[in-house]
Amino acid sequence: MFLRLLRKNALIGLICGLAIEAWIALPGEVLIATAAAQWLSRGASQLWSWLEVGAAAVAGMLINDLALYSLSRVARGVALQFIHLPHPHFHLSGLDLMVAKFIPPLRSAAFVLYGFQGGRLEHLLYVSLTSSVFWVGGYALLGKKFRGRILRLLARLESRSRWTTAAEIALTLASLALIAYPL
């Protein structure tokens, strides 16, 4: 599904995929490297192509981070007001959030915990934008470096489009089930 969208329109696929990256089986690193390989292979102006991929990826990650933060702020309000849970006794700093951006299992959880602890929105935006720029840049460089291999793999997956989409959906449902019901 997302791989096919990345193949047809890399920037739209990248924004859509990263916006819901916390809920799908494909890691953001794969989405960024694939979109960069696909978009940079067009032969357009290199600087402009890099800026387009970077802007799309940062926008997608910002949407994802804000969604996770917003959901956790709502959960915090419910927990404190209706359930009367005590205030959380943990504290994530901006550096913790930046480091978590580079560790896939912690990436989404860190932004949820930051919102639940009552972190400021301005601070979240600064940290999210800063860390996303470095994160996106690194994986876009990898996408450019391995462009040939990535494009061949995409072409092979495209030839088996029904199976690829089915596998992607199955992996996403399995990862959601593992989140909801850990082993």
Side-chain angles (χ1 to χ4, degrees), residues 45-67:
S45 166
Q46 284 290 59
L47 177 61
W48 187 248
S49 294
W50 279 102
L51 291 175
E52 289 172 323
V53 168
V58 169
M61 280 311 300
L62 189 59
I63 291 168
N64 184 48
D65 295 346
L66 285 173

Side-chain angles (χ1 to χ4, degrees), residues 90-150:
F90 53 85
H91 178 74
L92 292 177
S93 68
L95 183 60
D96 295 334
L97 287 175
M98 282 194 190
V99 169
K101 178 73 86 173
F102 295 91
I103 305 169
L106 301 179
R107 183 173 28 251
S108 300
F111 285 94
V112 169
L113 289 175
Y114 185 75
F116 197 79
Q117 80 183 15
R120 294 185 349 258
L121 178 62
E122 304 84 31
H123 190 252
L124 172 100
L125 288 172
Y126 172 75
V127 169
S128 178
L129 286 173
T130 305
S131 61
S132 290
V133 165
F134 289 112
W135 187 67
V136 165
Y139 284 102
L141 284 172
L142 284 174
K144 183 178 185 223
K145 180 172 175 54
F146 296 107
R147 179 176 32 205
R149 290 180 184 173
I150 291 171

